[in-house]
Amino acid sequence: MTGNAQDIPQLELEAVIGFNGYVFSGLRVHPDREHLIYPLGCTVILKRIKDGKQEFLHGHTNNVSCVSVSNSGCYAASGQVTFMGFKADIIIWDYAKRAIYARLQLHKAKVEALSFSPSDKYMVSLGGQDDGSIVVWNIETKQAICGSPASAHSAGHCLTIQYSNTNDNVFISAGHGTLRVWELDLPNRKIRPTECQTGHLKRVVKCIEIQEDDQFVLCGTTSGDIMKVNLKTGLLSGCGPVKQKHSRGVNALKILKSGDVLVGSGDGRFALCSGTTFKTLKHVQLEGGVSSIALRAEGQQFYVGTEDAQMYRFSYGDLEAELISTGHNSAVKDVAIPFGSSELFATCSQDDIRVWHVDRSKELLRITVPNMTCNALDITVDGRSIISAWNDGKIRVFAPESGRAVLVIHNAHSMGVTAITSTRDCKRIISGGGGGQVCVWEVLQGCHRLLVTMKEHKAPVTDIKLKSNDKECVTASADGTCIIWDLVRFIRSQTVCANTLFRCVCYHPEEYQIITSGTDRKIGYWEVYDGSAIRELEGSLSGPINGMHIAQDGRHFVTGGDDKLVKVWNYMDGEVTHVGVGHSGSITGVKVCTNNRTLVSTSADGAILRWRYPHPQSSS
């Protein structure tokens, strides 16, 4: 039984940790002033500012590439990317009902930008580089009115689009050497462009912001300066700052009521600039390039999103940054939950390990090792150490409260450390490497000793699990074998072979069986005693299974993989009991908390999802 998502009960999604900071102007404040709207993978998230409660808009089939909100707040819209040759969806959401109002399809491969007209009558959409067209939509009839190529043949492709603040028939597009004012001629169903004259200035425009009275347009460029263009005449009226330009380009702009301008640049500098000369008055350095600026109310408060998946809140008076949300901006490789505790969990990715609070979804600790990738991690049973496996061949042990490095084992594996675990007595670490070796290390106070290297696998070790008495362990490898090792005599006691690249292995809590999974999409049950196959289940309809975990009572287990579904299985029946739909990247890890209340899953798009576990522990 593979479990089609339609007829099986759905897992309840409690919270999502993450934010796609690479979507320019992706972070928005809804006009009701109570919600933030932002994308993560193929989901659009509504987050209440007051208490952080999240709601989810599901409907896209691939990553969301742009987000827009109408002036009245009745509608939100989002566009997505898709594969070459296919049409990319635009979804208009009915905000009050939190439901799809219309699904529009015309652009190929990607929707670059969206903008609503001031009275919510029309919406204009811009296709990506492979599409290169602008389409105006009638929101009431849900039909396209007209379309046109976004830029002239002599110019480059268009990057952004913005509707006028007062006129339903005027909008502006800009990009590589192109800046145009468009006028909608509704009776003839045509849009007519007027080229803006920027003289000898040749710029790539990343973002546009129109003054409230539609007098001037400010254009942020990749050269780090801001062009000011008269909207009525289409002529350049100024360009600045003349000297200290914004490093790595201007990514986001917002005009305040006072006339001053908020500028976010690609090097993470967030600045308040003069509205006339564009000189910097105040600035703050943030983590990651600024990609979004969103004003709340009249601009007394504003929210800033960066490419490092961080969100900040500012007040107009002091320009003090308050970090309100963090997330991974690259694939999450592994997740670990401390033994006997369900309040915390740890995740690892490129450059860092992070410890999170389960209920508040808040980052408590970040351990950074620049330019290295952490492939796997484990928390010792006594909770005193986080042990981690890194692609530079080192095993690093950190203190979980301070993040201080307690121990580093250099050159543990020549082709990177790929799997790791620790014994119950916390005195030994067992690690697997990219060359197939399994090493047993003795860890003493502040020092370490290699006890034995066991070399039977011919490909990277992908997973290691220990028996509760520390006398036996099982390792899974991409060479198509799982080996059960005797950790007293350090010899192989049993081998399991299958025509697959094994990704994960688990002991049943009673430890007489193991279950395995990998690239053949099958879940195998095996006898520990003699390595014989008991049965095989079809685990997924598409793609390998990357993560697996058995609940402590042994009645259910959880899997996740490239099909982006979290599945809860009954161990004895081999039936899917619940399916979790919400990930938009391949799932890389799943874990059930010790108290059987929470399920945590991580994915390749940097998202961490928290689900309510559907089978709480029985009193028996």
Side-chain angles (χ1 to χ4, degrees):
M1 156 100 186
T2 53
N4 297 326
Q6 286 82 22
D7 51 0
I8 292 171
Q10 299 255 327
L11 282 175
E12 184 188 332
L13 186 57
E14 289 185 329
V16 170
I17 300 173
F19 157 59
N20 187 351
Y22 292 104
V23 175
F24 287 102
S25 298
L27 176 63
R28 305 274 180 161
V29 176
H30 190 268
D32 67 7
R33 304 179 185 179
E34 289 177 13
H35 289 85
L36 293 175
I37 301 174
Y38 57 92
L40 176 65
C42 56
T43 309
V44 178
I45 300 173
L46 311 180
K47 183 175 180 179
R48 200 187 301 157
I49 292 170
K50 189 171 63 181
D51 56 8
K53 187 177 181 297
Q54 292 174 321
E55 293 172 88
F56 310 102
L57 303 178
H58 297 294
H60 286 290
T61 55
N62 208 319
N63 288 347
V64 175
S65 56
C66 54
V67 176
S68 186
V69 184
S70 68
N71 289 356
S72 66
C74 295
Y75 302 106
S78 51
Q80 69 170 61
V81 294
T82 186
F83 304 102
M84 278 299 291
F86 291 89
K87 297 251 170 92
D89 287 4
I90 299 166
I91 296 180
I92 300 178
W93 307 90
D94 185 319
Y95 182 78
K97 294 180 184 167
R98 309 287 198 264
I100 295 176
Y101 171 77
R103 189 185 287 270
L104 314 171
Q105 279 187 334
L106 264 184
H107 296 291
K108 292 190 197 81
K110 182 182 180 183
V111 182
E112 191 77 56
L114 297 166
S115 185
F116 283 94
S117 72
S119 67
D120 292 3
K121 218 172 177 184
Y122 312 118
M123 184 184 76
V124 61
S125 63
L126 169 65
Q129 188 175 347
D130 303 301
D131 180 76
S133 62
I134 288 175
V135 179
V136 179
W137 305 85
N138 185 322
I139 292 174
E140 195 183 344
T141 63
K142 308 178 188 179
Q143 298 294 320
I145 298 170
C146 56
S148 169
S151 46
H153 289 300
S154 57
H157 56 272
C158 206
L159 293 174
T160 182
I161 201 156
Q162 186 72 39
Y163 235 110
S164 140
N165 291 319
T166 56
N167 190 339
D168 270 344
N169 297 324
V170 175
F171 59 90
I172 296 165
S173 71
H176 284 252
T178 172
L179 180 59
R180 290 174 147 192
V181 179
W182 299 78
E183 215 161 315
L184 173 63
D185 178 1
L186 194 61
N188 297 318
R189 294 183 70 154
K190 283 224 168 19
I191 42 174
R192 298 194 165 85
T194 310
E195 294 284 351
C196 292
Q197 304 304 318
T198 55
H200 62 277
L201 272 185
K202 295 283 177 276
R203 293 287 186 265
V204 177
V205 177
K206 277 281 259 313
C207 54
I208 30 188
E209 180 71 3
I210 305 173
Q211 281 184 353
E212 211 173 0
D213 57 1
D214 282 349
Q215 196 80 33
F216 291 101
V217 186
L218 299 186
C219 307
T221 70
T222 53
S223 314
D225 49 13
I226 299 164
M227 295 193 299
K228 190 174 184 180
V229 178
N230 188 314
L231 190 61
K232 301 285 181 286
T233 62
L235 298 174
L236 183 72
S237 86
C239 183
V242 178
K243 285 190 175 165
Q244 288 175 316
K245 302 206 186 305
H246 299 277
S247 181
R248 296 185 61 187
V250 175
N251 284 350
L253 282 174
K254 274 285 178 281
I255 301 173
L256 297 171
K257 288 270 187 222
S258 61
D260 291 339
V261 184
L262 295 172
V263 180
S265 53
D267 68 344
R269 226 169 84 115
F270 177 65
L272 177 69
C273 298
S274 153
T276 49
T277 61
F278 304 119
K279 276 188 181 164
T280 302
L281 307 174
K282 291 180 190 170
H283 77 271
V284 184
Q285 187 64 41
L286 307 178
E287 266 186 70
V290 176
S291 57
S292 309
I293 302 172
L295 302 184
R296 186 180 181 197
E298 301 293 305
Q300 296 91 339
Q301 205 179 51
F302 27 91
Y303 291 83
V304 175
T306 74
E307 290 172 356
D308 275 9
Q310 315 255 58
M311 278 187 218
Y312 297 88
R313 178 164 49 210
F314 289 87
S315 294
Y316 175 61
D318 51 7
L319 213 70
E320 288 274 314
E322 179 196 349
L323 184 63
I324 57 166
S325 151
T326 61
H328 287 286
N329 67 335
S330 60
V332 183
K333 298 282 188 180
D334 199 9
V335 55
I337 291 176
F339 180 79
S341 163
S342 296
E343 289 175 19
L344 307 171
F345 66 92
T347 57
C348 65
S349 72
Q350 190 178 336
D351 296 340
D352 58 25
I353 295 171
R354 304 190 193 198
V355 178
W356 307 85
H357 190 278
V358 168
D359 293 329
R360 289 183 291 147
S361 302
K362 196 172 169 58
E363 186 183 317
L364 303 176
L365 174 71
R366 186 183 305 184
I367 302 163
T368 306
V369 182
N371 304 323
M372 300 299 165
T373 300
C374 182
N375 291 322
L377 82 164
D378 191 24
I379 299 169
T380 54
V381 171
D382 61 9
R384 291 185 180 173
S385 306
I386 296 172
I387 56 171
S388 53
W390 296 78
N391 68 343
D392 60 350
K394 294 179 185 175
I395 294 170
R396 293 179 170 90
V397 181
F398 299 98
E401 286 183 11
S402 63
R404 187 174 57 86
V406 179
L407 176 71
V408 178
I409 302 177
H410 296 275
N411 306 315
H413 293 272
S414 58
M415 294 167 69
V417 191
T418 53
I420 200 158
T421 190
S422 71
T423 55
R424 287 275 175 119
D425 60 9
C426 307
K427 289 179 181 169
R428 290 181 180 184
I429 291 173
I430 297 154
S431 64
Q437 306 95 336
V438 177
C439 296
V440 182
W441 307 85
E442 187 173 32
V443 178
L444 306 162
Q445 198 64 41
C447 62
H448 64 276
R449 177 165 77 98
L450 176 62
L451 292 178
V452 69
T453 300
M454 300 180 286
K455 178 78 172 79
E456 295 252 354
H457 289 300
K458 295 177 175 61
V461 177
T462 51
D463 201 3
I464 304 175
K465 289 290 190 299
L466 265 165
K467 221 172 179 179
S468 56
N469 64 4
D470 289 345
K471 291 182 178 176
E472 187 181 282
C473 78
V474 58
T475 57
S477 169
D479 63 1
T481 63
C482 283
I483 297 178
I484 298 167
W485 303 93
D486 182 328
L487 292 182
V488 178
R489 294 179 295 159
F490 300 118
I491 58 166
R492 181 189 72 199
S493 61
Q494 229 24 277
T495 306
V496 164
C497 295
N499 190 14
T500 179
L501 313 182
F502 283 118
R503 292 276 171 89
C504 39
V505 62
C506 288
Y507 270 108
H508 186 271
E510 291 175 11
E511 297 178 342
Y512 53 81
Q513 289 177 3
I514 57 170
I515 55 171
T516 61
S517 197
T519 53
D520 65 349
R521 313 194 305 274
K522 305 254 192 312
I523 297 167
Y525 289 59
W526 310 84
E527 201 73 64
V528 170
Y529 171 67
D530 60 357
S532 59
I534 300 166
R535 71 161 158 190
E536 207 172 58
L537 305 174
E538 187 79 36
S540 153
L541 291 173
S542 61
I545 292 170
N546 304 321
M548 180 190 278
H549 193 222
I550 300 190
Q552 276 199 315
D553 57 11
R555 293 178 187 173
H556 297 89
F557 66 95
V558 186
T559 62
D562 284 11
D563 63 353
K564 304 169 188 171
L565 300 174
V566 177
K567 293 181 183 174
V568 181
W569 301 74
N570 184 308
Y571 188 88
M572 295 305 289
D573 302 345
E575 299 275 331
V576 177
T577 64
H578 291 76
V579 172
V581 182
H583 279 287
S584 51
S586 298
I587 296 169
T588 53
V590 286
K591 285 283 187 296
V592 181
C593 283
T594 323
N595 62 4
N596 275 23
R597 281 198 200 131
T598 308
L599 167 60
V600 177
S601 59
T602 60
S603 65
D605 59 358
I608 303 167
L609 273 63
R610 194 179 91 226
W611 312 82
R612 185 188 294 279
Y613 185 65
H615 306 289
Q617 206 125 22
S618 56
S619 51
S620 59

